[in-house]
Amino acid sequence: MRLLLLAPPGAGKGTQGERLAALFGVRHIAAGELLRAQARTEGRLGREIAGYQARGDLVPDEIVFDVLTPAVVEAADRGGYILDGFPRTLPQATVAAELAARFDVTLDVAVYLFAPDEVLTRRLLARAGAGGRTDDTADVIRYRLRVFGETTGPLVGYYRERGILVAVDADQPPESVTADIQARLSGLSPAEHSR
Ligand code: ADP
């Protein structure tokens, strides 16, 4: 199974990514987590990544590919992955699709998790209250939602055109979201489902 989770901040990519990875027995690759791990390392690259993340700006594509590609290639080799937060821009999606086609590991499905901005903001502020991330402040949350709408949103149309988009309502309890995703996946063609 090679699945991409496409979702605005607060929609539950991380939670669903873990659950789906356990269900399908594949690796959960969280782009934001891998970049945060890199940001914690000493040196210029770490500081640069930390700066983009703290502001809510996307990390430049070149850095993202350097950090993410090895994990994706290794997981593809081992039977698949749940990608959470990568690709996140049209250029990332086109380069990733070219690479995937070359190695015959194209995406089976892109799951778009959607919820109203008020719900997303409320969840992220609650996470901040519980000692969450440095980018979970009201201003940065507003900015991240804008970046999602402007830069990542177009990927919804991109994957819909390719016929692999599944849209699921994320404004429900986590178990219901997972159940909806599973139900929609079982409706896919057997070839896509069994991989
Ligand atoms: P969220 O979706 O809540 O913003 P993530 O952990 O997915 O949380 O991402 C946090 C930050 O990591 C983003 O604001 C961005 O700075 C960086 N990031 C994650 N994935 C990508 C990506 N594919 N391309 C560029 N930057 C990314």
Side-chain angles (χ1 to χ4, degrees):
M1 167 60 77
R2 290 186 297 272
L3 181 151
L4 161 66
L5 286 167
L6 192 59
K13 282 191 301 296
T15 308
Q16 297 304 323
E18 276 172 30
R19 300 173 70 109
L20 294 171
L23 275 170
F24 291 106
V26 294
R27 178 160 175 206
H28 171 214
I29 300 177
E33 288 292 339
L34 289 182
L35 289 165
R36 272 189 290 280
Q38 186 71 44
R40 284 192 292 271
T41 60
E42 296 285 315
R44 199 187 52 80
L45 181 65
R47 278 196 302 278
E48 200 183 330
I49 295 175
Y52 287 110
Q53 289 195 310
R55 291 190 297 275
D57 274 320
L58 293 184
V59 174
D61 290 349
E62 200 186 308
I63 300 179
V64 171
F65 274 101
D66 283 352
V67 174
L68 270 294
T69 309
V72 177
V73 169
E74 196 197 301
D77 240 22
R78 294 185 181 191
Y81 40 67
I82 307 297
L83 278 181
D84 146 7
F86 170 80
R88 205 163 171 130
T89 65
L90 271 178
Q92 284 179 14
T94 7
V95 173
E98 279 164 16
L99 282 174
R102 199 181 316 150
F103 294 104
D104 199 22
V105 288
T106 50
L107 274 183
D108 298 316
V109 60
V111 175
Y112 171 42
L113 299 176
F114 61 89
D117 275 8
E118 308 80 65
V119 171
L120 302 171
T121 306
R122 204 186 319 127
R123 288 183 184 173
L124 293 167
L125 287 174
R127 181 167 80 185
R133 290 170 7 196
T134 53
D135 55 350
D136 286 342
T137 63
D139 284 352
V140 180
I141 289 169
R142 201 174 311 119
Y143 182 64
R144 280 156 62 209
L145 288 172
R146 202 177 98 201
V147 170
F148 178 84
E150 289 171 1
T151 312
T152 310
L155 292 186
V156 174
Y158 173 85
Y159 290 113
R160 185 175 284 133
E161 269 171 33
R162 296 182 53 186
I164 59 168
L165 190 85
V166 161
V168 171
D169 182 2
D171 187 9
Q172 325 180 59
E175 310 75 50
S176 311
V177 177
T178 312
D180 275 6
I181 297 173
Q182 279 188 282
R184 299 289 300 279
L185 293 183
S186 58
L188 291 178
S189 76
E192 278 166 341
H193 193 220
S194 63
R195 259 183 288 166

